[in-house]
């Protein structure tokens, strides 16, 4: 699979986990959301001579941070995440990398086994408890902590798009039974917030294609 820039943006689909990594270029600055497959990400950054990208994390699960260690080594990024995400990244249990081999095996219907090396990451450079606003290009990018899928889950809003991590995945209900997940936190924090996303908002999920918020989406996700 070969990823490439589409004008000033890209999306990388990890071939093992199908997770999405999003990238944007504005005024010679680069924004990366959920860095995944480094074999695809590295040449994209090299081709545009990018240094010190702004990296935002929707949550701590390994399929959304798998390129982070290599990215830190080669490109000196500024990494931003919720405090709980920063803690979860340091644990092979909480970041799910210790169980990813078996998770993918059972998800494939016990037909495909792919080796997956467990790992940990250092905490983010910038941590926040509730929400944070950061400059990028000619505007600002906003992050809000929204625990439920994991303790460290957040949503990211920028340029009319909402990056939701593993909330609102096309064709999949919200999972709260994976490491860090909590039904109580989802009901108390995330569910009511997701209910109030305006119709027509472009949703960029952690897996699958982007779509617009609608009554049908709310109905499917019990919002």
């Amino acid at each position: 699979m070969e990823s490439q820039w589409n004008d000033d943006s890209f999306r990388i689909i990890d071939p093992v986990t199908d997770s999405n990594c999003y990238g944007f270029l504005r005024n010679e600055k680069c924004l990366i959301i959920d860095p995944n497959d480094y074999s695809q990400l590295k040449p994209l950054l090299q081709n545009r001579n990018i240094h010190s990208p702004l990296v935002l994390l929707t949550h701590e699960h390994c399929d959304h941070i798998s390129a982070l260690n290599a990215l830190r080594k080669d490109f000196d990024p500024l990494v931003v995440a919720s405090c709980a995400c920063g803690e979860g990244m340091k644990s092979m249990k909480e970041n799910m990398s210790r169980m990813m081999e078996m998770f993918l095996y059972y998800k494939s219907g016990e037909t495909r086994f792919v080796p997956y090396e467990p790992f940990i990451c250092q905490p983010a450079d910038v941590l926040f408890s509730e929400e944070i606003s950061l400059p990028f290009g000619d505007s600002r990018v906003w992050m809000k902590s929204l625990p439920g899928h994991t303790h460290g889950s957040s949503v990211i809003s920028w340029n009319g798009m909402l990056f939701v991590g593993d909330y609102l995945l096309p064709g999949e209900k919200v999972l709260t039974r994976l490491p860090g997940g909590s039904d109580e936190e989802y009901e108390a924090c995330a569910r009511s917030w997701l209910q109030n996303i305006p119709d027509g908002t472009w949703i960029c999920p952690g897996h699958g294609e982007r779509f617009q918020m609608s009554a049908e989406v709310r109905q499917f996700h019990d919002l």
Side-chain angles (χ1 to χ4, degrees), residues 55-158:
V55 175
L56 311 182
L57 307 179
T58 63
H59 63 295
E60 60 268 34
H61 281 167
C62 56
D63 50 330
H64 298 268
I65 62 171
S66 59
L68 187 55
N69 287 336
L71 190 65
R72 278 176 156 156
K73 180 181 177 182
D74 294 337
F75 291 95
D76 189 30
L78 180 70
V79 182
V80 185
S82 71
C83 294
C85 177
E87 283 299 309
M89 291 158 55
K90 299 186 293 183
S91 165
M92 293 179 187
K93 177 183 177 181
E94 292 298 311
N95 74 20
M96 208 172 139
S97 63
R98 194 169 70 184
M99 62 174 285
M100 184 54 77
E101 283 185 0
M102 296 310 299
F103 175 79
L104 293 172
Y105 178 64
Y106 286 118
K107 190 174 182 180
S108 73
E110 302 183 22
T111 62
R112 185 181 68 153
F113 181 80
V114 180
Y116 200 98
E117 187 71 26
F119 66 92
I120 61 171
C121 294
Q122 294 302 309
D125 304 299
V126 178
L127 297 167
F128 66 94
S129 296
E130 297 295 331
E131 59 184 69
I132 191 170
S133 176
L134 301 153
F136 176 67
D138 295 326
S139 60
R140 301 187 72 83
V141 57
W142 176 77
M143 299 180 69
K144 178 174 177 56
S145 174
L146 216 63
H149 174 65
T150 68
H151 297 309
S153 288
S154 298
V155 292
I156 300 165
S157 178
W158 178 71

Side-chain angles (χ1 to χ4, degrees), residues 24-31 50-54 136-137:
F24 304 93
L25 194 63
R26 296 291 187 276
N27 298 338
E28 300 183 351
K29 300 294 184 180
C30 184
L31 168 65
I50 289 168
H51 300 281
S52 302
L54 176 62
F136 176 67

Side-chain angles (χ1 to χ4, degrees), residues 41-54:
L41 180 58
K42 183 178 181 179
L44 289 175
L45 302 184
Q46 288 177 327
N47 289 344
R48 293 294 184 97
N49 196 29
I50 289 168
H51 300 281
S52 302
L54 176 62

Side-chain angles (χ1 to χ4, degrees), residues 160-162 197-203 211-215 217-218:
M161 297 175 286
L162 188 66
I197 299 172
D199 283 352
T201 301
W202 279 106
I203 307 297
F211 58 90
Q212 288 182 286
M213 192 64 176
S214 66
V217 173
R218 289 189 183 85

Side-chain angles (χ1 to χ4, degrees), residues 26-39:
R26 296 291 187 276
N27 298 338
E28 300 183 351
K29 300 294 184 180
C30 184
L31 168 65
I32 300 171
I33 297 174
D34 288 355
N36 53 19
D37 181 17
Y38 195 59
S39 67

